[in-house]
């Protein structure tokens, strides 16, 4: 899996991160209420590769794969997947449809998990923007900073841009109806007014 804010402009690697790329991978049942089966934490390489060992998964039983991290949109696999002989490989980066409802963004040739959900409420909105703006105003920096969307070690205008773009595009966690935390997202239309003066 690739993460939007950490991915370089060409979409070839997650080279923007100055710290290990920590993620949590969950397995959920394939039928309502899509209960959590098991959760494992680990890291992704700059190539987006990670290995996660699950002890309760059963061969031939389909599970949704869910990827979460510090400030990304929770992302579910496009369909439920099954282990064969104790192994399962899944690549979120190859097409939008690898995520439920194609809920990813393309950078170069890779499809990436949306960044910007700072408060982890399932959508990118003004609440995330306020937290990032406060850290920006206070010159926040350091490892593990939740508002550091692009992973460069500090919160600055480049982080705010990623959040604002996601907010403007109504980015939220897409998941099966009835899944934990699933909800219908309704937003008020944001209208920006600008005054134009000139000769």
């Amino acid at each position: 899996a690739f993460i939007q804010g950490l991915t370089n402009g060409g979409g070839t690697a997650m080279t923007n991160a100055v710290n290990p790329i920590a993620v949590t991978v969950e397995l959920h049942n394939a039928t309502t209420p899509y209960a959590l089966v098991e959760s494992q934490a680990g890291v992704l390489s700059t190539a987006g590769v990670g290995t996660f060992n699950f002890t309760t998964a059963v061969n031939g039983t389909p599970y949704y794969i869910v990827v979460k991290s510090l400030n990304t949109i929770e992302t579910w696999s496009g369909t439920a997947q099954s282990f064969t002989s104790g192994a399962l490989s899944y690549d979120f980066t190859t097409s939008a449809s690898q995520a439920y409802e194609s809920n990813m963004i393309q950078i170069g040739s890779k499809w990436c998990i949306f960044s910007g959900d700072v408060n982890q409420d399932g959508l990118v909105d003004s609440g995330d923007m306020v937290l990032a703006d406060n850290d920006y105003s206070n010159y926040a920096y350091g490892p593990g900073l939740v508002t550091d969307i692009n992973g460069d070690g500090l919160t600055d205008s480049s982080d705010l841009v990623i959040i604002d773009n996601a907010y403007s595009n109504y980015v939220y966690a897409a998941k099966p109806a009835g899944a934990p935390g699933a909800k219908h997202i309704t937003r008020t239309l944001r209208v920006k007014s600008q005054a134009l003066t000139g000769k």
Side-chain angles (χ1 to χ4, degrees):
F2 271 33
I3 294 172
Q4 175 192 6
L6 307 181
T7 302
N8 63 26
T12 58
M14 290 189 289
T15 53
N16 292 350
V18 295
N19 296 301
I21 303 163
V23 298
T24 298
V25 176
E26 298 178 347
L27 299 180
H28 285 256
N29 285 333
T31 56
T32 188
Y34 307 99
L36 174 66
V37 174
E38 190 175 346
S39 176
Q40 293 294 333
V43 296
L44 297 176
S45 71
T46 57
V49 177
T51 300
F52 302 84
N53 295 311
F54 295 92
T55 60
T56 58
V58 177
N59 288 325
T61 299
Y63 303 102
Y64 276 103
I65 303 166
V66 180
V67 179
K68 299 178 177 182
S69 79
L70 187 67
N71 52 29
T72 58
I73 284 291
E74 173 182 332
T75 303
W76 289 53
S77 56
T79 58
Q81 303 292 309
S82 298
F83 286 79
T84 303
S85 300
L88 169 61
S89 179
Y90 194 80
D91 190 345
F92 279 92
T93 70
T94 57
S95 73
S97 63
Q98 290 293 95
Y100 195 80
E101 292 187 357
S102 298
N103 196 34
M104 290 192 291
I105 185 169
Q106 189 173 21
I107 299 177
S109 63
K110 300 291 187 184
W111 287 91
C112 305
I113 292 172
F114 281 108
S115 296
D117 187 8
V118 173
N119 61 11
Q120 291 294 284
D121 64 353
L123 68 156
V124 182
D125 60 9
S126 58
D128 304 296
M129 182 61 80
V130 166
L131 292 172
D133 191 53
N134 286 342
D135 279 356
Y136 178 29
S137 299
N138 290 305
Y139 307 102
Y141 66 93
L145 184 63
V146 70
T147 54
D148 177 18
I149 306 301
N150 66 3
D152 64 357
L154 69 154
T155 301
D156 58 15
S157 59
S158 58
D159 303 301
L160 295 176
V161 166
I162 294 170
I163 296 171
D164 190 53
N165 286 340
Y167 180 22
S168 298
N169 287 298
Y170 308 102
V171 170
Y172 65 94
K175 55 182 86 174
K183 56 189 170 188
H184 177 73
I185 305 298
T186 304
R187 296 245 178 114
T188 303
L189 179 64
R190 293 172 45 193
V191 178
K192 294 181 180 178
S193 61
Q194 296 179 332
L196 175 63
T197 58
K199 297 178 181 175

